[in-house]
Amino acid sequence: MRNKETYLVFVYGTLRKGGTNDHYLKKAKLISSSVWVKGELHDTGYGYPVLKERSSRRIVGELYEVTSGELTQLDYLEDFKPSRARNEYERVIRTVYMTDKTVEAFVYVEGERLTTCEQMIEENDWMVYQGGEMSRHRE
């Protein structure tokens, strides 16, 4: 996970470059913009996705090194509190696959409050899906 001062975080939705919340990571160090984790990506219907750990499909995203302060901000954004039972997202450690190696990193996954989101994103890529959604709305 790095050292006590920094942490690795995999992001797959609005926190990615070009996403609506990418400003949260503007000072974070981008490790790779071409990584993936296992899971299923679902549309919450609220303008952001959720990763469900149901399958071993490839969910594409980005890997960042963040400070403890940045991690606290991400926890707030993702409505995650370690001591609370019903979080929107849970922060877990998962294997992130890179071109030439794997690393362990924090990933925000489905919490109890997002279990009913069932619209799977076939593209497994939030940014590609959003591009398709936007063009469908213009038609």
Side-chain angles (χ1 to χ4, degrees), residues 7 9-17 21-30 62-67 70-71 73-74 77-78 108:
Y7 305 89
V9 178
F10 172 84
V11 299
Y12 54 88
T14 64
L15 288 163
R16 289 174 62 191
K17 290 217 180 287
N21 287 316
D22 67 353
H23 59 278
Y24 280 86
L25 295 170
K26 68 182 174 211
K27 293 183 180 178
K29 180 181 178 183
L30 176 65
E62 299 165 354
L63 184 65
Y64 287 87
E65 183 178 87
V66 301
T67 64
E70 289 165 330
L71 187 63
Q73 288 182 325
L74 295 178
L77 173 68
E78 305 295 5
Y108 291 92

Side-chain angles (χ1 to χ4, degrees), residues 12 42 44 48-51 77-81 84 86-91 108-114:
Y12 54 88
H42 290 255
T44 63
Y48 52 88
V50 61
L51 191 152
L77 173 68
E78 305 295 5
D79 197 20
F80 168 74
K81 293 182 182 171
R84 185 173 57 198
R86 288 183 41 89
N87 287 305
E88 184 163 12
Y89 289 87
E90 296 297 336
R91 179 169 37 92
Y108 291 92
V109 300
E110 166 190 42
E112 189 175 326
R113 292 177 19 211
L114 290 175

